[in-house]
Amino acid sequence: MISKLDAMPDDQDATEAMRVIQQSLNNLMDVDKHYRRKEYLLFPYFEKNNLPGPAMVMWGKHDEVRNLLRETISGLQQTETMLAAEAKAYCLFTILPAIESVDDMVYKEEKILFPTALDLLTEQDWYEIYLQSDEYGYCLYVPQFEWTPEGGFHKEMRKPAAVGGRVQMPTGSFAVDELIATFSALPFDLTFVDKEDTVRYFTPGKERIFDRSRAILGRKVQYCHPPKSVHIVNQIIKDFKAGKQERARFWINMGGRMIYICYYAVRDAQGGYLGTLEVTQDLTEVRSLQGEQRLL
């Protein structure tokens, strides 16, 4: 496409050609998915092998490529008309550097990153990366085959070892004091009701929205609500148990604050009903946010 643009007379309108280039750049921005798969799936293995440096350097380069692509796309979107001479200059000084930055990253991957990774990772490591890759997506091309490595690997990923009485979960583990402190730090209230409609847990947050005390534990959830709203609670739970819905949402104004209340059906891996999770959050401050405040 850029070669066709280069063949245009300088005074010819190149706006349409630039639109095609912009679409190509939008497609190229898909490389972000590839970078995130590297950052969150591959780089952890470098860290586990005491090689965090190369991964962190490359992550910084990823961000440079992303920013360059975004700036290039944004600049094109702000251009309404452009003659071929202007478009050629724009390509030379803006678009080509963005494309070259992506190409340079491919070179670093093929010559440095992946050869090193092949020495560091086991077949099981690569299989676990493969099993998680769909969560991040793919760049331009989605594999149309299923990889089954030799050696009889299971589709379930290895679970982190439970050491020292840690509470084991599918995605990691907690020491009991860590788990209690984590739930206490959540910026919202959680209450769990089991499949027998019995209240089993609530988070001990510092700034509670609704009153909670240990006296409700073991109590039927229907008795924890005013009589006038019990029929609504019963209908939500009935629909959850029947599989008719997965979520019920409410929001109210309370003392000048916007309170968001959401009930979620909790299910096992086979879809069986295990209970209901109530999540209550004060959205007043969140609703007032404007602009951005980034980590960088």
Side-chain angles (χ1 to χ4, degrees):
M1 188 63 244
I2 293 179
S3 61
K4 291 182 180 179
L5 180 64
D6 195 47
M8 289 182 175
D10 287 350
D11 59 351
Q12 184 174 338
D13 184 3
T15 304
E16 185 58 34
M18 293 301 285
R19 286 199 189 100
V20 175
I21 291 177
Q22 178 178 323
Q23 183 58 54
S24 298
L25 286 172
N26 287 337
N27 294 338
L28 189 58
M29 193 65 201
D30 218 31
V31 77
D32 175 63
K33 298 175 184 176
H34 173 64
Y35 291 166
R36 286 190 289 119
R37 283 168 56 221
K38 288 164 58 183
E39 292 160 358
Y40 297 112
L41 298 181
L42 179 58
F43 288 176
Y45 288 97
F46 279 74
E47 296 154 13
K48 292 175 185 176
N49 285 276
N50 297 316
L51 283 174
M56 293 306 297
V57 170
M58 183 162 282
W59 196 326
K61 294 296 182 182
H62 290 172
D63 288 340
E64 291 178 10
V65 174
R66 290 175 175 121
N67 290 336
L68 195 52
L69 285 171
R70 288 192 191 102
E71 291 170 0
T72 303
I73 293 170
S74 177
L76 279 172
Q77 290 172 340
Q78 296 171 12
T79 303
E80 295 183 0
T81 59
M82 187 177 287
L83 295 178
E86 298 170 314
K88 292 172 188 177
Y90 194 90
C91 283
L92 179 63
F93 293 106
T94 306
I95 297 178
L96 285 179
I99 296 174
E100 288 171 354
S101 69
V102 175
D103 193 50
D104 183 57
M105 182 60 66
V106 172
Y107 178 86
K108 289 183 171 68
E109 291 173 352
E110 293 180 346
K111 300 299 182 182
I112 302 172
L113 179 71
F114 293 142
T116 304
L118 287 172
D119 290 334
L120 287 179
L121 277 66
T122 65
E123 191 83 347
Q124 179 67 33
D125 294 335
W126 287 113
Y127 190 49
E128 292 184 5
I129 289 175
Y130 162 75
L131 291 176
Q132 299 173 82
S133 289
D134 285 349
E135 297 179 21
Y136 297 93
Y138 302 88
C139 176
L140 299 178
Y141 167 76
V142 178
Q144 300 298 316
F145 61 89
E146 182 176 349
W147 177 43
T148 303
E150 298 178 1
F153 293 101
H154 297 290
K155 280 198 171 184
E156 287 190 12
M157 294 182 294
R158 289 176 303 191
K159 296 179 180 179
V163 180
R166 297 179 70 84
V167 179
Q168 185 63 53
M169 300 180 182
T171 54
S173 64
F174 281 100
V176 173
D177 59 344
E178 293 171 345
L179 185 60
I180 293 172
T182 298
F183 274 79
S184 299
L186 292 176
F188 40 80
D189 297 340
L190 302 179
T191 303
F192 176 69
V193 178
D194 70 12
K195 62 182 179 182
E196 304 298 333
D197 301 351
T198 303
V199 180
R200 293 299 181 189
Y201 177 80
F202 65 90
T203 49
K206 296 178 181 179
E207 298 181 6
R208 297 209 57 84
I209 297 171
F210 296 118
D211 293 334
R212 291 284 188 275
S213 70
R214 284 188 288 273
I216 70 169
L217 299 177
R219 194 180 185 192
K220 292 298 182 182
V221 67
Q222 289 84 355
Y223 298 143
C224 299
H225 290 80
K228 63 181 180 181
S229 62
V230 170
H231 69 286
I232 299 175
V233 174
N234 284 333
Q235 187 62 53
I236 291 171
I237 293 175
K238 181 180 178 181
D239 287 346
F240 284 175
K241 290 179 177 180
K244 292 182 178 180
Q245 62 174 327
E246 299 298 315
R247 180 184 68 175
R249 300 187 299 162
F250 306 90
W251 47 97
I252 60 175
N253 288 298
M254 189 174 74
R257 296 182 297 163
M258 172 59 71
I259 306 301
Y260 181 62
I261 308 162
C262 196
Y263 298 91
Y264 297 94
V266 179
R267 304 191 186 281
D268 60 24
Q270 290 72 43
Y273 177 76
L274 295 177
T276 295
L277 180 67
E278 177 189 344
V279 182
T280 306
Q281 186 174 10
D282 185 345
L283 294 182
T284 308
E285 182 180 357
V286 176
R287 295 181 76 204
S288 67
L289 295 178
Q290 295 182 353
E292 293 183 337
Q293 179 169 307
R294 295 174 175 265
L295 283 174
L296 300 179

